[in-house]
């Protein structure tokens, strides 16, 4: 449902960020919006790697994920807040 409502998630360009077997990171960007998506597939918590520069605000989170900590099987979608 969230994906259907957000143009950047549906139609935005995809930019892969450094990931691993248990951590998936990417950005979706359209002309008006920049989203950061980060998901932890591990059965343990992980500290979030450094975020792309700028101010980020979480729009949706699963499993109590925050910008700095990803509990097991959690994730978030955050939007870039321009200054």
């Amino acid at each position: 449902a969230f994906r259907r409502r957000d143009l950047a998630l549906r139609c935005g360009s995809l930019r892969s960020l450094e990931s691993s077997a248990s951590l998936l990171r990417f950005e979706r960007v359209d002309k008006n919006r920049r989203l950061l998506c980060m998901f932890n597939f591990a059965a343990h918590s992980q500290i979030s790697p450094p975020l792309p520069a700028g101010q980020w605000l979480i729009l949706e989170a699963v499993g109590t994920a925050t910008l700095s900590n990803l509990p097991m099987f959690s994730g978030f979608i955050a939007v870039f807040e321009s200054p």
Side-chain angles (χ1 to χ4, degrees):
F2 181 74
R3 184 175 183 269
R4 289 187 199 121
R5 294 189 319 260
D6 195 286
L7 186 62
L9 284 176
R10 280 196 337 264
C11 304
S13 63
L14 175 66
R15 179 176 167 237
S16 294
L17 301 173
E18 185 177 334
S19 297
S20 67
S22 62
L23 184 67
L24 176 63
R25 299 187 329 143
F26 59 91
E27 286 184 332
R28 295 298 301 255
V29 180
D30 74 0
K31 61 184 177 183
N32 298 314
R33 220 154 132 98
R34 181 178 167 200
L35 300 177
L36 172 65
C37 304
M38 194 176 308
F39 304 98
N40 178 12
F41 298 111
H44 56 83
S45 293
Q46 296 191 61
I47 295 173
S48 298
L51 302 176
Q55 184 78 18
W56 295 94
L57 173 68
I58 291 181
L59 297 175
E60 294 282 330
V62 174
T64 67
T66 67
L67 292 173
S68 60
N69 186 48
L70 293 162
M72 64 180 184
F73 308 118
S74 68
F76 67 78
I77 298 172
V79 65
F80 179 75
E81 295 277 300
S82 54

